[in-house]
Structures are given as C-alpha cells and as structure tokens.
Amino acid sequence: MMGTAELRNSERELAQFQLRIGVAGVAMLAAFCVLLARFFFLQVMQHDHYRSKAEDNRISIVPIAPNRGLILDRNGVILARNYSGYTLEIFPRRVKSVERTIDELSELIEITPRDRARFKRLTVEARNPESLPIRTRLSDEEVAKFAANRFRYEGVEIKARLFRQYPYGDVGSHVIGYMGRINQADQQRLEEEGVDANYRGSDYIGKSGVEASYERELHGTTGFEQVEIDAAGRGIRTLSRTPAVSGNNVVLTLDMRLQRVAENAFGARRGALVAIEPGTGAVLALVSKPGFDLNLFVDGIDPAVWAELNSSPDRPLNNRAIAGVYPPGSTFKPFMALGALELGKRRYNSTINDPGYFIFGDRRFRDSKPGGHGVVDLHKSIVVSSDTYYYMLANDMGIDAIAGFMKQLGLGSPTGIDLQGEATGVLPSPEWKMKRFRRPEQQRWYPGETISIGIGQGYNAYTPIQLAHAMATVAANGSMYRPRIVGHIENPRTRERQSFEPELKGKVPLKREHVEFVKRAMAGVTREGTGARAFAKAEYTSGGKTGTAQVIAMKQNEKYDESKVAERFRDHSLYISFAPLDNPIIAMLVIVENGGFGARAAAPISRTVLDYYLVGKMPPGLEDPTPEDEFDDGTESD
C-alpha cells in the first residue's frame, strides 16, 4: 500500500513539474516574442529616428559669434575696436557645486573678490548661460598652468573670446556708448524682433550710445560649426563650418580731436556741449560731463563700481547733451528778437527806456543790471542783454505767439538725433499747462507768467541739443536739418558705404534781413557786449549770446548772492554761438551747471572750441596722443 501511494505522489509531482516547465517555457517564449517585436520596432521601424538622435548626441552645433564692427570718427580715428583674450569659464550644469569649484580654482589661478562678485551678478543677469566667465584676460602663463591641470576640473574650460576696447577711455563716452551682458529684457526684445537666433553664442549687446542705436549694423551675422563630441561633451573634431560675417563699421560725424578739446575745456565742471554743422545737421562734438570710462564695462562691470556710478550726485551715466533739461536763460533772447521781427512786434529801431525793472500789476520784475541800460533798441537789447526789454516784448507778443514761433525752431520737441534717450523738453503754453497740471487753478495761464518766459526763465526748459539745433537753424537762414551722429556705414569686406545724406526736416519761413540783423547783433555780443572779454583778440568773427539760468527761484525783490548759495543751487552758465559770421560752419551751445554768469564759465569754453575748429589752435598740454598711449586695461552779466 505504501509503495502504491509513493508512486502516485511521484507521478503527481512529475506532472506538476512538467506543467510548471511548460508554463515557464510559454512565458519565456512570450517574453522572447515581445523582445523580438520591440527589437524589430526599434531597429527597423524606428531606425531613422534613433539614428538621427544618436547623430545629434555625437554632433554638436556650436555658434560662432561674429566680430563686432568698429566705430570711427569722421577722420578715421578708431573709437571702439576688438581684441581677443582668454577667459576661464565655468559650466554651471556640469559641476556639482559652483562655489566649491571656484574655491578649488582659486588655489591654481588668482580669483579676486571682484571676480567672484561679478560672477555672482552674471548668474542673475545672464540668459540661460551655458558657461560664465570667472576670470577674464588670462595671461599666457595662467592659460598654460590651467591646461596642465585641466583633468582636475570637470566643467571648467578656457575659451578665446573677443572683447570691446575703447582707446580713449571716457572721451566721448555718452556718444560711443557701452556694451553689457544680454539680460532677460534684452532676450525678450530680440525674440520680439525675430533676431534672437542671430545672437546665439553672443553674450554682449549695445546698451547705450552708438553701440545701442546701431546694434544691428555693428553686430554682424552669427556662424556655426558642426563638432563631433565625446561622451563627456568635449569636442573631438570639426565636421563642417559656416563662418560668421563681421559687423559693419560705423563712421561718426564726430571730430574726435574737437571732442577732446571740448571735454578738456570743461575740466572738472559738470555740463554739456553740442556743436552742429548748420548746413548738414552733422554733430561735430557732443559732450556730457562728467563722463565714465567705457572700458569698465568690457568684461562685466564691478557691482561696487556700478553702484557708485548710479548713486553719484554728478550723474555721470546721464547724457546731459540730449536728456538734460535746462532753462535757456538769456540765450533765449535772440530767438525772441527774431520772433518779434517776424511777427511785426518790433522794428530794428524800436526803443524803450530801461530803468532796471518792469512793473506788471503789483509785481516788479528786476533787470540783471541795477539802474538799467537807459535807452535800448533791439540791437542793443541783445548786445547788453537787457532783461527789461524782453519783459516788455514778452508782454506785447503774448504766450501764444511766443510758443508758436519757438515751436517752428524745434524747441520743446525731440530733434530726432540718431541716439536713444532724447528728452522732449518744455515749450510752455496754455495748452501745455492744461495737460501738465490737474487742479483748475493750476491749469490757468496767468499773464504775469508770460513775462519771465521772455528772458528764458519760467517754465522754459530745453535740452542742449534743442538749443544748438535752433541756433543751427537760424545760422542756416531757416533750413532745419535733422542732427546726425553717424555719417556712413561701411562694409569692412567690400568697402561699400551706406552714406546718410543731410536730411532737411523743413524750412522755417524767416526773412533773410531779419536773420542777418539778429546775427550781427549776436556778433556785437562778442565785440562789445557780454561776451567781449571771452572773445577778445579772436582771429575770426562769431556771433554769440551769454545766458544765466536760475536753479532756484528767488523771492520778489530778493537779490541773488552767489557766495551765500550752495554750489549745486547756483545759477547755470550758458553760451550759444555760431561762426564765422558771414558763412557759419558751426553752431554750438555750452552749459556749465552751477557755473554762474554765462560770460564767466560757458563763453570761455566756447572760445576754446571755436579757436581749435576755425584756426587750429590747440590748447596747451593737449597734444594729440596715440590711442594706445591713452588706453589702459586695468564782465559779469549774463
């Protein structure tokens, strides 16, 4: 019985084992069929797709940043160029700890706190960076040292990059402009303009001045190369290459020697100067003082230096020449005289008795000269700068006539210069006041407000370039040309030029005899009037007008005492001019902030600039150095 039971159990166990073997075999066959099907799907049906992906992993498309175009002055002097240098770059996505990597690198190559601060700022500002420089301008010795220890630093490489170089440092800084890292706002704008693909591989973009206004022309076209890479992402060999196309050179209307003379004439004083060629609108010099060294921005500005520039009370980053807004003071009087002649409000021999004040209602408007100038006609009113004459004239003309005439000369409107950031200024009128103020009592134009307008005070506020533009228009007998800072664009490969012809914006209907009268009255300023001392023994005849603009309003009948006023609240000094008298080739506005009387501060600067431009007289100690020498890396009335 026991033998039979054992046999039955053995048979049953064998059957169960065979069943299990069969099930396992079926399962293995099924799994093999699934694997075979998957293999067929991947290797046959999806062959092209995965081959393409494998090829993509093997081949990297590397953008090639183009050489940026040069910026030159009208005489071919290079103002902005490029130089190549080595940078030590960290690839953030390829390192475990950026901070630890920097610490380890500092044991091999010097990394200063400034380098660390700049790197930290770049991590915030840069747009999805593949790599960021921790050190720039590496020496050959540092490059060799890192190359020998390259295996120790995964995610760190040396790259050769092009950097911008500004041979003249801070001279012409607001015209030339600077470059900075492409940030998120720049990236968004490039995408909106549909040119973001052309900036792959480029880290910098023009931020101000010509660098920004002519970014498209200067940038060039990005190239690319196909590079075979290994598993670590390092390049093995180049498979194909499409070269980048260098940007075009931008040639300015600016005369760099004249620019240097003008900036030097200011010394340490704040202010602005704009010199324009009346017959073309070409800007010969455009000064905003103080300036700033453009080379500070070349490889990323130090955060502490950036903070200092932004917080300085001197506002060095502000382009005063096109964005500063100032009362014109008595430089407004020649335009008032011309308007009076054109509108029939005055004749050449129209005279008044100037007692040294003008009474309007219950208010007494004082002249700058106590006791007045006696009998004054229109010519003398400009020569001696009689406030009383223009108080009366403003009252006779009325605000609407004044505003209408000044608008024709371009005051209170952007000139359209080819630089970004131009301010509008203020041409006061009843309509302007209605828009400017909210309360009804503030919106009303009071007749007494017109009186101050006549001497360039009150709500009057214009940019230096607007005043220079108006002077150039008068000097050109009413022909108004758009101011231009760029003369032509040149292709560096073909030498083809795209020239910008003078753009006539319009013709102000001025009678030639009226213009000549005002010009000769302004010439009288330099011979016997408020500008005579500054222009004594000049070898040419110019026309000019001094101006003093109040910074703070004085109480009625309160006498201004400069010695009792803090320097930054003292009057501005202005001088408007053109030369030579019979055939003007330059028109200019100079303003010295808090400089006091126009004859004392602004007129001498104008004389220095005109002396150089007209007769080639170079100020002592200002011999023209080579750019390489300058470049380093590291009568008291108004």
Side-chain angles (χ1 to χ4, degrees), residues 15 54 76 82 163 173 222 241 297 326 391 561 570 595 598:
N82 309 302
F163 292 94
S173 55
T222 298
R241 178 183 175 89
F297 294 84
Y326 307 90
Y391 290 145
D561 186 346
R570 293 174 185 169

Side-chain angles (χ1 to χ4, degrees), residues 41-57:
F41 176 78
L42 294 175
Q43 294 295 323
V44 179
M45 299 182 65
Q46 294 290 310
H47 174 268
D48 292 340
H49 171 71
Y50 284 103
R51 180 174 182 176
S52 176
K53 290 181 72 67
E55 194 71 11
D56 288 343
N57 290 332

Side-chain angles (χ1 to χ4, degrees), residues 116-132:
R116 291 175 182 264
R118 185 184 64 240
F119 184 88
K120 185 176 181 180
R121 180 181 176 184
L122 290 178
T123 59
V124 176
E125 295 181 349
R127 41 154 197 169
N128 300 319
E130 179 186 359
S131 66
L132 291 172

Side-chain angles (χ1 to χ4, degrees), residues 166-171 256 260 295 622-633:
Y166 302 98
Y168 290 98
D170 64 346
V171 181
M256 195 55 176
R260 291 183 64 247
N295 294 295
L622 199 63
E623 292 74 18
D624 196 28
T626 62
E628 289 81 7
D629 291 337
E630 285 203 348
F631 178 68
D632 181 7
D633 287 329

Side-chain angles (χ1 to χ4, degrees), residues 104-215:
E104 292 173 352
L105 284 170
S106 65
E107 297 175 1
L108 181 68
I109 293 176
E110 181 184 11
I111 297 177
T112 67
R114 178 182 183 275
D115 295 324
R116 291 175 182 264
R118 185 184 64 240
F119 184 88
K120 185 176 181 180
R121 180 181 176 184
L122 290 178
T123 59
V124 176
E125 295 181 349
R127 41 154 197 169
N128 300 319
E130 179 186 359
S131 66
L132 291 172
I134 183 62
R135 263 292 309 279
T136 59
R137 307 187 197 183
L138 294 174
S139 66
D140 291 341
E141 181 182 351
E142 289 173 321
V143 171
K145 186 183 293 185
F146 179 80
N149 293 271
R150 167 69 182 82
F151 66 94
R152 296 169 49 196
Y153 303 100
E154 187 65 32
V156 183
E157 293 182 8
I158 284 180
K159 284 190 175 183
R161 291 184 181 269
L162 285 175
F163 292 94
R164 207 60 161 162
Q165 183 188 74
Y166 302 98
Y168 290 98
D170 64 346
V171 181
S173 55
H174 292 90
V175 178
I176 301 168
Y178 66 90
M179 298 183 65
R181 278 258 172 184
I182 297 176
N183 56 31
Q184 297 295 337
D186 296 323
Q187 177 66 24
Q188 182 178 352
R189 178 170 51 82
L190 292 172
E191 291 174 357
E192 292 172 353
E193 295 173 357
V195 295
D196 55 307
N198 195 39
Y199 281 80
R200 291 173 184 167
S202 297
D203 296 320
Y204 290 85
I205 194 171
K207 296 286 188 176
S208 71
V210 172
E211 291 279 27
S213 298
Y214 287 84
E215 170 65 30

Side-chain angles (χ1 to χ4, degrees), residues 473-534:
T473 300
V474 172
N477 300 310
S479 295
M480 180 182 286
Y481 291 90
R482 177 190 175 195
R484 288 206 67 89
I485 201 70
V486 172
H488 65 266
I489 296 172
E490 182 181 78
N491 186 312
R493 302 167 300 282
T494 64
R495 298 301 176 186
E496 293 180 359
R497 287 188 175 188
Q498 175 192 352
S499 296
F500 297 102
E501 298 300 322
E503 182 182 337
L504 185 65
K505 295 170 60 178
K507 183 77 175 178
V508 183
L510 301 175
K511 290 186 178 180
R512 187 66 173 259
E513 58 269 28
H514 293 163
V515 174
E516 289 301 318
F517 176 86
V518 171
K519 285 182 181 179
R520 298 197 177 278
M522 293 180 71
V525 171
T526 67
R527 292 170 178 158
E528 55 183 318
T530 55
R533 181 180 298 178

Side-chain angles (χ1 to χ4, degrees), residues 93-106:
R93 289 190 290 267
R94 287 164 50 185
V95 298
K96 295 180 179 179
S97 171
V98 172
E99 288 297 327
R100 187 168 64 250
T101 300
I102 294 175
D103 291 338
E104 292 173 352
L105 284 170
S106 65

